[in-house]
Amino acid sequence: MRFDFFRRSSEDTGNDAPAHAEAGADGRVAYAMLLDAQRRVIGYRMAWRSADEGSEASGAAGVKALTDTLAMHLNPGSGGWLLGSQMLFVDVTVDALFQSDLQSLPPQQVVLCMGAEEMLDADLRSIVLFLREQGFGFMLCGASGLPEDPELRSIVTHFEVGAHDAETVMRLRQDAQLGHPPVEPIVSRVEDWTAFDACAGRRVSVFVDGAFSNPPVRETEDALQPEALLIVQLMQMLQRNEDLRVIEAALKHDAALTYRLLRYINSPAVGMAVEIHSLRHAVAMLGYSPLYRWLSLLLATSNKAGSPYMMKKAILRGRFVELVGQGMLPASEADNLFVAGMFSLLDQLLGVSMEGVLRKVQLTEAVQQAILSRGGLYGPFVALAESCERDDGEAARLSEALFLSPAQVNAAQLSALVWAQDASPAAGGP
């Protein structure tokens, strides 16, 4: 049966091969984050944007380009699935269901998103059932309710609901209590955190894109929490190249911070060959510059009331900016690239105005220019990261100005997702 399905794909869509190749070479990946009720990132909804940045690549060509790129960076043959327990949601077309390329992704981690008309088409039942048996999930989009047919009903694992559709959510919960296979309701978009919290109260996961507005920040730096103030003090000591013994003495005032710092240094994200047992050992191995970077990461995650979503977003942005800048700037600038990217969201992370943060944290002029105006040496890289997150159609122009190919941008985005698995507090980081 599998052979017949995928043979049909090659016969029916053989004329599209050049379009496939073109989409894979020139398009780019866009994604939205899936948040649970605690604002933790539990998955991503992936899309493929064509080279003109104005539209989603059409049909099977776009899906093939997307799955090929995702498989290359997230599911390499030797490394296996690199996103742990996180799920990928991929919008698919009818033609794409018959592509063998779907098999390059791990079925248990992938949910195929389809409209009601396509998923419930009787002519597609065999292939849809086959893919469900393989382990792929299916999200039913744009439907008023689950199908009446028990066989089709068993295919649906996720159901797209409106942000204010409490009735459908309740009906899905009741169906599960009656013994039907559970179906997870998911909201595709909310307007603000108030709407998000309403969904969270019903235990519904929500897709949030990079344009999602954040809560307003306070205007005073006095709102910085004690741990954040200590981290700022340590960062300033490093910038002044103060004696290591003085820095160690300051750090000893907070045993929890010392523990978090050492735990992060020994995490897979850092990749040390030996275990680091003390600050002195860390500096002896790598020097002040990496320590400054680690402290910047800890500062970004120091707000106990902060959103895990914002923490993940800042970490992803910092790593992306660092990756796209590698090879274009000297190696000595790598830590500044990371700091510039992550600190561009520091006001939202700490709940303090950017001006208030910069009065406390002494950053280089180039980093400040990137944060405040997207100017200077690092600004164009931060602007590119922001455009990719917002999916605003400017990424192609910004990447071309930096002489970056779409493939390089895609590699940096997906590599950042993998790296953030280990660096994120929600995934065992500091």
Side-chain angles (χ1 to χ4, degrees), residues 161-179:
V161 298
H164 307 290
D165 190 359
E167 181 180 345
T168 299
V169 173
M170 183 180 300
R171 189 163 63 246
L172 293 173
R173 305 290 192 208
Q174 290 172 344
D175 284 352
Q177 292 174 356
L178 293 175

Side-chain angles (χ1 to χ4, degrees), residues 148-335:
E148 295 294 333
D149 186 313
E151 188 174 53
L152 287 175
R153 192 189 191 97
S154 67
I155 295 170
V156 181
T157 58
H158 299 74
F159 191 91
E160 185 180 51
V161 298
H164 307 290
D165 190 359
E167 181 180 345
T168 299
V169 173
M170 183 180 300
R171 189 163 63 246
L172 293 173
R173 305 290 192 208
Q174 290 172 344
D175 284 352
Q177 292 174 356
L178 293 175
H180 295 293
V183 176
E184 184 68 26
I186 294 183
V187 173
S188 58
R189 185 174 179 83
V190 293
E191 300 81 21
D192 49 38
W193 285 115
T194 300
F196 178 92
D197 290 338
C199 296
R202 298 192 296 270
R203 295 179 289 112
V204 179
S205 301
V206 179
F207 282 111
V208 173
D209 61 27
F212 188 64
S213 59
N214 299 313
V217 299
R218 289 164 287 186
E219 293 300 324
T220 172
E221 68 272 24
D222 295 336
L224 288 177
Q225 297 181 3
E227 182 178 283
L229 290 172
L230 176 57
I231 295 173
V232 168
Q233 178 187 358
L234 291 167
M235 293 174 71
Q236 291 171 342
M237 288 180 174
L238 289 174
Q239 285 188 315
R240 295 192 296 265
N241 289 312
E242 292 195 12
D243 189 273
L244 179 57
R245 289 171 295 182
V246 177
I247 298 174
E248 281 185 316
L251 188 58
K252 287 178 181 177
H253 284 93
D254 193 326
L257 179 59
T258 303
Y259 170 75
R260 292 178 66 210
L261 177 61
L262 291 177
R263 186 173 67 169
Y264 174 64
I265 292 174
N266 289 304
S267 72
V270 177
M272 293 294 295
V274 297
E275 185 173 357
I276 302 299
H277 298 285
S278 67
L279 178 63
R280 185 176 295 273
H281 188 193
V283 173
M285 291 289 293
L286 294 172
Y288 273 22
S289 183
L291 181 57
Y292 185 90
R293 170 200 173 110
W294 299 329
L295 287 171
S296 71
L297 181 59
L298 289 179
L299 179 62
T301 60
S302 65
N303 185 2
K304 301 299 188 296
S307 165
Y309 155 71
M310 285 305 305
M311 293 179 190
K312 175 64 76 78
K313 184 176 178 179
I315 292 170
L316 286 172
R317 183 181 291 189
R319 182 59 172 169
F320 173 83
V321 169
E322 180 182 28
L323 289 173
V324 293
Q326 284 180 350
M328 300 180 65
L329 298 177
S332 59
E333 303 287 356
D335 290 325

Side-chain angles (χ1 to χ4, degrees), residues 28-256:
R28 68 173 188 83
V29 174
Y31 65 82
M33 298 181 185
L34 181 62
L35 309 188
D36 66 10
Q38 288 74 45
R39 304 187 183 184
R40 295 173 301 196
V41 179
I42 58 174
Y44 302 91
R45 189 169 188 172
M46 297 289 185
W48 186 260
R49 301 297 182 229
S50 57
D52 61 13
E53 290 286 332
S55 62
E56 197 164 346
S58 61
V63 179
K64 173 177 171 53
L66 177 61
T67 53
D68 286 349
T69 302
L70 295 177
M72 179 187 304
H73 296 288
L74 302 181
N75 196 44
S78 59
W81 182 241
L82 301 180
L83 284 186
S85 62
Q86 297 200 329
M87 303 290 293
L88 288 191
F89 291 72
V90 180
D91 291 274
V92 295
T93 61
V94 171
D95 288 342
L97 293 178
F98 295 91
Q99 290 181 353
S100 59
D101 304 271
L102 288 175
Q103 304 297 311
S104 63
L105 298 175
Q108 300 297 336
Q109 304 302 136
V110 177
V111 177
L112 305 176
C113 307
M114 298 184 66
E117 184 176 346
E118 293 83 7
M119 188 183 296
L120 305 182
D121 187 337
D123 293 337
L124 296 178
R125 181 173 298 200
S126 294
I127 180 61
V128 171
L129 284 170
F130 168 74
L131 291 171
R132 182 71 191 101
E133 290 171 1
Q134 296 297 300
F136 288 98
F138 279 89
M139 184 165 80
L140 185 58
C141 305
S144 58
L146 291 170
E148 295 294 333
D149 186 313
E151 188 174 53
L152 287 175
R153 192 189 191 97
S154 67
I155 295 170
V156 181
T157 58
H158 299 74
F159 191 91
E160 185 180 51
V161 298
H164 307 290
D165 190 359
E167 181 180 345
T168 299
V169 173
M170 183 180 300
R171 189 163 63 246
L172 293 173
R173 305 290 192 208
Q174 290 172 344
D175 284 352
Q177 292 174 356
L178 293 175
H180 295 293
V183 176
E184 184 68 26
I186 294 183
V187 173
S188 58
R189 185 174 179 83
V190 293
E191 300 81 21
D192 49 38
W193 285 115
T194 300
F196 178 92
D197 290 338
C199 296
R202 298 192 296 270
R203 295 179 289 112
V204 179
S205 301
V206 179
F207 282 111
V208 173
D209 61 27
F212 188 64
S213 59
N214 299 313
V217 299
R218 289 164 287 186
E219 293 300 324
T220 172
E221 68 272 24
D222 295 336
L224 288 177
Q225 297 181 3
E227 182 178 283
L229 290 172
L230 176 57
I231 295 173
V232 168
Q233 178 187 358
L234 291 167
M235 293 174 71
Q236 291 171 342
M237 288 180 174
L238 289 174
Q239 285 188 315
R240 295 192 296 265
N241 289 312
E242 292 195 12
D243 189 273
L244 179 57
R245 289 171 295 182
V246 177
I247 298 174
E248 281 185 316
L251 188 58
K252 287 178 181 177
H253 284 93
D254 193 326

